[in-house]
Amino acid sequence: MTSDVYPENDSGGGAGVPGTFTFTPEVKGAVSSTYSVNRDEGTTVQAGARSGAQISWTPPESGWYALQVHGTIKDGARTASAFCSFTVN
């Protein structure tokens, strides 16, 4: 996972400042990615042409956040989850 505004293990952005996160699964053939922030319910987005996904997320307040994501491949199997943490200024 990468973000231009909210880098992993660092601080950036601010409350109400949107950031783009790019997910690149380690397994080829992903058709979707499901992500959650601080263990919320989770949101699924379709994978792009190269099996990655990109989302825009806006933090509601300053503080520490954990982002978790896993991919789903064509046959419905789930990939291992990846984690990223960051602090919102």
Side-chain angles (χ1 to χ4, degrees):
M1 284 176 272
T2 59
S3 175
D4 54 343
V5 178
Y6 299 103
E8 184 174 8
N9 299 320
D10 206 349
S11 60
V17 177
T20 300
F21 292 83
T22 302
F23 309 138
T24 307
E26 296 197 16
V27 176
K28 293 185 180 190
V31 295
S32 66
S33 292
T34 301
Y35 70 94
S36 65
V37 179
N38 290 356
R39 297 182 182 226
D40 66 4
E41 187 173 312
T43 301
T44 300
V45 294
Q46 296 304 305
R50 295 187 178 177
S51 297
Q54 193 171 63
I55 61 143
S56 180
W57 178 77
T58 304
E61 56 189 41
S62 298
W64 182 85
Y65 287 86
L67 177 64
Q68 177 180 356
V69 63
H70 72 266
T72 301
I73 58 176
K74 280 184 183 182
D75 66 3
R78 247 176 83 156
T79 65
S81 293
F83 300 89
C84 170
S85 63
F86 54 91
T87 301
V88 174
N89 292 326

